[in-house]
Amino acid sequence: HDEEIDSVADAALCRLLSLLLFKEFSIDKLDSKERLNCLPEEILRNCQLFELIYGCSKEKITASFERVGPDLLRLLCHIIMYEIERYTPPLDPELSNPELSHPHDSKSRGGHDSGAQQDTCLQSATRILFLYARVQSLTEAMAQHKKLLSLCITLIKYPIDVVPFEAQHNVLFILANMACCRSCV
């Protein structure tokens, strides 16, 4: 997958993810009936594409982080907050963002917006962070991100039946690697 990073696919995916999240978060509550139902799935697919291209070498992940890392970290934090807030009240009020209220609350979900898709999106977002955390030189920047550490701690506070085990496993790996970064010890 080094070729995808060399062809700057990561930058294109980051721009697309930014646009999709902008669309998702900027829909006025009055217009929620006209909302495109495919947006959450497009966000999920975009995250899954990041997972695939980050199957590359650590050197290419580092190059990608230098190109899109800070922006992608911010977007992934928004996705994780969004996914947690969709179905559960936040444990940490500082991480709660009223602007991220989801147009499909638990009463209006119906059968089309399943918890399985939510879990998969949460797993995918934490998996991307997991792939970044595998690279020792990136953990310092991750540890210095203003919301990532708090968000990771919040994720592991949730019971297993609320947050999927894989997402919590990813977060524990991320936290362990950030704790071992040179500037944090």
Side-chain angles (χ1 to χ4, degrees):
H1 296 282
D2 288 1
E3 298 82 24
E4 285 90 358
I5 301 297
D6 287 337
S7 68
V8 197
D10 55 340
L13 285 173
C14 191
R15 285 187 199 115
L16 177 60
L17 183 59
S18 181
L19 175 66
L20 292 171
L21 289 172
F22 174 76
K23 282 180 161 181
E24 182 70 9
F25 295 148
S26 66
I27 300 294
D28 187 17
K29 290 181 182 181
L30 299 174
D31 296 334
S32 64
K33 290 182 181 177
E34 297 179 23
R35 178 181 173 274
L36 296 174
N37 289 331
C38 62
L39 276 179
E41 184 157 337
E42 287 183 45
I43 292 168
L44 169 63
R45 297 295 172 235
N46 187 284
C47 288
Q48 290 172 333
L49 285 172
F50 265 112
E51 284 184 79
L52 291 173
I53 68 168
Y54 282 159
C56 61
S57 67
K58 290 182 179 182
E59 293 79 21
K60 295 300 178 179
I61 290 177
T62 302
S64 175
F65 189 86
E66 290 171 1
R67 188 172 29 245
V68 300
D71 292 331
L72 187 57
L73 284 177
R74 184 178 41 80
L75 295 172
L76 292 173
C77 285
H78 281 295
I79 289 171
I80 293 168
M81 285 188 298
Y82 176 73
E83 291 302 321
I84 290 172
E85 289 180 1
R86 286 174 71 183
Y87 297 99
T88 60
L91 291 173
D92 186 348
E94 289 182 21
L95 292 174
S96 178
N97 186 346
E99 294 176 8
L100 299 183
S101 61
H102 194 276
H104 297 299
D105 62 9
S106 58
K107 294 176 184 170
S108 66
R109 270 192 316 213
H112 70 279
D113 194 36
S114 70
Q117 179 175 324
Q118 174 200 14
D119 293 350
T120 306
C121 198
L122 186 59
Q123 289 170 4
S124 188
T126 59
R127 177 73 178 160
I128 296 165
L129 294 170
F130 171 93
L131 293 169
Y132 273 158
R134 285 182 26 219
V135 183
Q136 185 178 8
S137 62
L138 303 182
T139 56
E140 183 177 345
M142 292 176 71
Q144 292 176 354
H145 189 273
K146 62 182 179 180
K147 285 200 175 186
L148 184 59
L149 181 61
S150 302
L151 190 56
C152 286
I153 291 169
T154 299
L155 267 174
I156 61 173
K157 287 181 182 179
Y158 279 95
I160 289 289
D161 61 334
V162 175
V163 176
F165 175 77
E166 182 183 338
Q168 287 185 326
H169 175 267
N170 291 340
V171 166
L172 287 171
F173 180 86
I174 294 162
L175 287 171
N177 283 6
M178 286 193 312
C180 294
C181 77
R182 290 182 203 137
S183 69
C184 299
V185 278

